[in-house]
Amino acid sequence: MTNDRLPTRRDYLKWTSAAGLAGLAGCSSGGDGSGDGDSSGDSSGDSSSDGSGDSSGDSSGSGSDYPSQRMTIVAWASRGGGSDTIVRQGYVRSIRENDLLPVDVRAINQTGGGGEAGMRYTLDQDPNGYTVLNVTTNLVVTPLSRDIGISYEDFTPIARMGVEPILLVVRGDDDRFNDVQEFRDYAAENRVSIASFDVGTQDHTAAFLLSQRTDMNAEIVPFSGGGEQVSALLAGDVDAAVTAPSEVSDMRESGEVQYILHFSGQELELYPDVPYVSEAFDTEIVVEQFRGTVVHGDTPDERVEYLRDLYEEIYNTEEFEEYADSNNVNPAFLRGEEFYDYVEGVNQRFTEVFQENNLGVYSDS
């Protein structure tokens, strides 16, 4: 079995560069979510909290007693997916194991709308620095896919923590598809179903462009999280899934899934036998995913800097390195405004492709 474990942080980023990360160009979230477990009172599944619990007794000012109450980190996908896993295994576990906070921290899930529910939940909380949202490339893609009245500019960046390629995967025991060419040939004669994370997300966009530009007869089936995508694939409810390595790396090692294509636009050292789109087809599609954290845009500067220091500490823990290694996430730290500049570049690239392909908010319909 091919070993697709990541190199350590000291060896990372042999396959990517700052200028090309998380872009989308045209021709023109498997951890198990268990992590360190929930603390008493943590929400699981779809939290229905009204948000009042995280701000009681603390104003949005920048008093020196911060933090003085339990902090909340929001995963905007369901339990077991990549967003949930980085929150519980990468952040909460690192904080607790290394005593990085003087207060407790919990993880909650706010699922739906390709991250929209998590964005709305975070913006509904007091901007006091006690609610941190874990984000992916959908921070820019979801607002481009439909008018939700929210954009990345409504948030203050804390840190980018890692990047991942986006993959097309099939079941390991599916004899119809030994490689992407067999998948394409089959889809030219038969209708195939491809699971994605919600409508308009980076997964959905990659699957849509692939089906459009290669004339595949494909139905894109959205799910509310990576865990649900993979469960549907393994159950045979869909023929393939477009997802990130953190959702399926363990299943690749066990042979349950096979990687047949990635959307990175260049060869990946981790997956030398897996072609990228322009290697396999006469078109170019580049979609990659970042993972990072943001807070409400009105959070006081003093608290923002505290959180940036905190996430830099998290990034340098053994626990976070273990999370990244076991989930095939490339550690890639950008602090504060550097992360914001990076997100602006990602937004520009996706905007150009949405405009060129008449997608989302740029659709004529």
Side-chain angles (χ1 to χ4, degrees):
M1 183 60 59
T2 301
N3 181 6
D4 63 349
R5 292 294 186 187
L6 282 176
T8 66
R9 181 177 298 115
R10 297 160 191 80
D11 298 323
Y12 112 96
L13 276 185
K14 292 181 179 178
W15 55 268
T16 190
S17 65
L21 295 175
L24 177 62
C27 286
S28 48
S29 283
D32 60 6
S34 59
D36 57 338
D38 293 342
S39 65
S40 174
D42 280 5
S43 301
S44 62
D46 295 338
S47 172
S48 58
S49 168
D50 64 3
S52 60
D54 291 331
S55 58
S56 114
D58 194 287
S59 71
S60 60
S62 53
S64 59
D65 60 342
Y66 173 81
S68 59
Q69 63 188 55
R70 183 174 65 176
M71 302 188 74
T72 296
I73 308 177
V74 181
W76 67 19
S78 56
R79 290 294 295 266
S83 291
D84 180 76
T85 302
I86 192 173
V87 168
R88 296 178 190 275
Q89 294 183 6
Y91 303 156
V92 173
R93 179 169 175 255
S94 296
I95 289 169
R96 290 177 177 167
E97 292 292 322
N98 295 279
D99 295 323
L100 299 182
L101 280 173
V103 295
D104 192 20
V105 59
R106 66 169 181 167
I108 67 169
N109 299 76
Q110 292 288 321
T111 65
E116 178 183 352
M119 288 186 251
R120 291 197 182 282
Y121 177 85
T122 303
L123 293 176
D124 283 344
Q125 309 310 301
D126 286 342
N128 55 15
Y130 284 98
T131 302
V132 178
L133 175 64
N134 181 72
V135 296
T136 67
T137 311
N138 288 334
L139 180 66
V140 299
V141 177
T142 294
L144 288 172
S145 70
R146 61 190 184 281
D147 185 6
I148 63 174
I150 298 173
S151 85
Y152 70 93
E153 294 175 315
D154 294 317
F155 300 91
T156 296
I158 299 302
R160 188 188 72 180
M161 304 293 280
V163 293
E164 299 175 83
I166 297 297
L167 305 162
L168 178 67
V169 304
V170 297
R171 291 187 304 280
D173 61 357
D174 194 333
D175 294 333
R176 297 174 298 171
F177 315 129
N178 291 309
D179 55 39
V180 71
Q181 189 60 53
E182 289 188 1
F183 184 84
R184 181 184 185 179
D185 292 344
Y186 181 90
E189 302 292 336
N190 306 273
R191 189 168 184 80
V192 295
S193 53
I194 303 175
S196 78
F197 172 41
D198 253 318
V199 175
T201 62
Q202 77 268 5
D203 296 357
H204 188 268
T205 302
F208 171 80
L209 291 176
L210 183 67
S211 65
Q212 291 292 307
R213 295 182 179 178
T214 60
D215 296 322
M216 291 185 185
N217 184 18
E219 175 189 9
I220 314 304
V221 183
F223 290 86
S224 65
E228 294 179 13
Q229 286 174 254
V230 175
S231 294
L233 176 64
L234 296 180
D237 297 331
V238 294
D239 298 303
V242 173
T243 189
S246 58
E247 314 283 3
V248 290
S249 59
D250 289 346
M251 295 165 196
R252 188 198 191 201
E253 291 184 2
S254 66
E256 294 174 274
V257 303
Q258 177 186 358
Y259 300 175
I260 60 172
L261 189 72
H262 68 78
F263 295 83
S264 296
Q266 58 189 346
E267 182 177 337
L268 298 184
E269 186 171 311
L270 287 173
Y271 315 120
D273 299 327
V274 181
Y276 53 95
V277 175
S278 60
E279 277 187 308
F281 306 112
D282 186 23
T283 188
E284 182 180 49
I285 305 170
V286 180
V287 184
E288 294 179 335
Q289 176 167 263
F290 67 78
R291 295 193 181 276
T293 54
V294 299
V295 291
H296 192 298
D298 294 332
T299 304
D301 291 345
E302 188 173 308
R303 298 188 178 191
V304 167
E305 289 306 313
Y306 182 99
L307 291 170
R308 288 172 177 172
D309 288 343
L310 171 65
Y311 276 84
E312 190 162 359
E313 288 185 280
I314 291 171
Y315 180 81
N316 287 307
T317 63
E318 291 183 4
E319 288 75 14
F320 186 81
E321 186 167 350
E322 289 171 2
Y323 151 78
D325 182 63
S326 63
N327 288 280
N328 295 105
V329 173
N330 285 284
F333 187 79
L334 288 177
R335 180 185 173 112
E337 294 307 313
E338 289 184 334
F339 179 32
Y340 187 85
D341 291 343
Y342 166 85
V343 171
E344 284 190 316
V346 175
N347 182 71
Q348 180 179 351
R349 296 184 190 101
F350 272 97
T351 297
E352 290 171 356
V353 171
F354 270 61
Q355 289 174 331
E356 291 167 1
N357 293 275
N358 196 35
L359 300 173
V361 295
Y362 298 102
S363 172
D364 294 334
S365 59

